Amino acid sequence: MPELTELVDLPDADTQPLVHPLDVHAARRPFLRAQLVAALTSPPVGLCLAGITWFAAQNFVAPLLAGSAVVGFGTLAAHVFREQAWAFIPRKRQDRRRALPLAWELGSTLVLAAVLAVALALVVVRLAQPDISVEVRQFTFGMAAVAGLLMASEILVRLARRQGRRALLTVPGVLVVAGSLTAYYVLLAGSPQPAASPTAAAGAGMMLVVAAGVGTWKYIEHRRTVSP
């Protein structure tokens, strides 16, 4: 069997059998690039862009296309950069289960929460405009309410699994969604409220379908990355 020659210097296998891109100088740059692209094209950023486009275009097609394009192409680009980083490390030595440093995860969580807050604020203000129909408000409220419940349940599940660190990182997003729902009721005080309406139920169902799709995709990605 021909001898394999390492193109980069890896930590000694006897002292550190598993290696992360942050441990390898050549892999660090594409890994950081992947993290940056993922943060700048995350769903909250896509939602923020969709909200801004909604204000400018005054229709639903342009925001949907803009937000979907940013998130879709961003996810693809982040995946490419991330795989470039892992390619420097032999598969059997890849430490794909290692958590990122707490400062990284906390900073990323706070940035995403801030972007999500801006996006939801734009959506709430737009929904309060008189040209928006009650049905649109109800549908959006149903989606947002289920999103908040799913995020809150995720905290409880992580606490039950004794994943306190991951549960803590979910809290800012839950607070943002809860604050947005509160602001929605305050701005629309005196207007027909969306609770328990068929349209709100349809929005809730749509969010459940989206959540199921995202959960399935994450499960497949997890199985693919940890499989030997």
Side-chain angles (χ1 to χ4, degrees):
M1 180 180 294
E3 182 179 354
L4 296 177
T5 302
E6 293 183 352
L7 299 180
V8 296
D9 293 327
L10 298 177
D12 185 74
D14 294 330
T15 58
Q16 185 179 341
L18 297 180
V19 183
H20 192 275
L22 294 178
D23 302 328
V24 182
H25 178 73
R28 181 183 291 264
R29 178 172 295 179
F31 185 79
L32 295 178
R33 193 176 296 140
Q35 295 298 115
L36 179 61
V37 171
L40 294 178
T41 59
S42 63
V45 175
L47 179 60
C48 184
L49 178 61
I52 295 174
T53 308
W54 192 9
F55 274 102
Q58 299 291 309
N59 65 68
F60 297 100
V61 177
L64 180 62
L65 293 177
S68 299
V70 168
V71 175
F73 286 114
T75 300
L76 179 61
H79 174 77
V80 171
F81 287 133
R82 192 173 293 111
E83 291 306 308
Q84 286 179 357
W86 284 109
F88 286 96
I89 307 170
R91 187 170 181 82
K92 291 185 177 180
R93 295 194 62 185
Q94 293 179 356
D95 190 5
R96 289 185 177 261
R97 297 188 178 184
R98 183 193 299 185
L100 293 177
L102 180 59
W104 281 41
E105 292 192 344
L106 184 59
S108 177
T109 299
L110 293 177
V111 170
L112 292 180
V115 173
L116 182 61
V118 174
L120 292 181
L122 290 173
V123 171
V124 169
V125 173
R126 183 69 183 94
L127 289 173
Q129 301 300 313
D131 61 317
I132 299 299
S133 66
V134 175
E135 289 75 15
V136 172
R137 294 173 180 173
Q138 292 172 341
F139 189 87
T140 306
F141 177 84
M143 294 186 67
V146 170
L149 290 176
L150 290 174
M151 295 174 70
S153 64
E154 185 177 2
I155 294 179
L156 296 178
V157 170
R158 289 179 175 180
L159 289 176
R161 294 178 178 177
R162 298 182 179 180
Q163 299 174 346
R165 172 174 170 173
R166 297 185 64 187
L168 176 64
L169 296 174
T170 311
V171 171
V174 174
L175 294 178
V176 168
V177 174
S180 299
L181 291 173
T182 302
Y184 176 89
Y185 264 87
V186 171
L187 286 177
L188 296 180
S191 301
Q193 296 301 320
S197 71
T199 308
M206 177 62 71
M207 179 54 66
L208 289 174
V209 171
V210 172
V214 172
T216 301
W217 178 78
K218 286 185 176 181
Y219 176 77
I220 294 175
E221 282 291 300
H222 174 74
R223 296 291 296 177
R224 186 185 64 81
T225 55
V226 301
S227 59

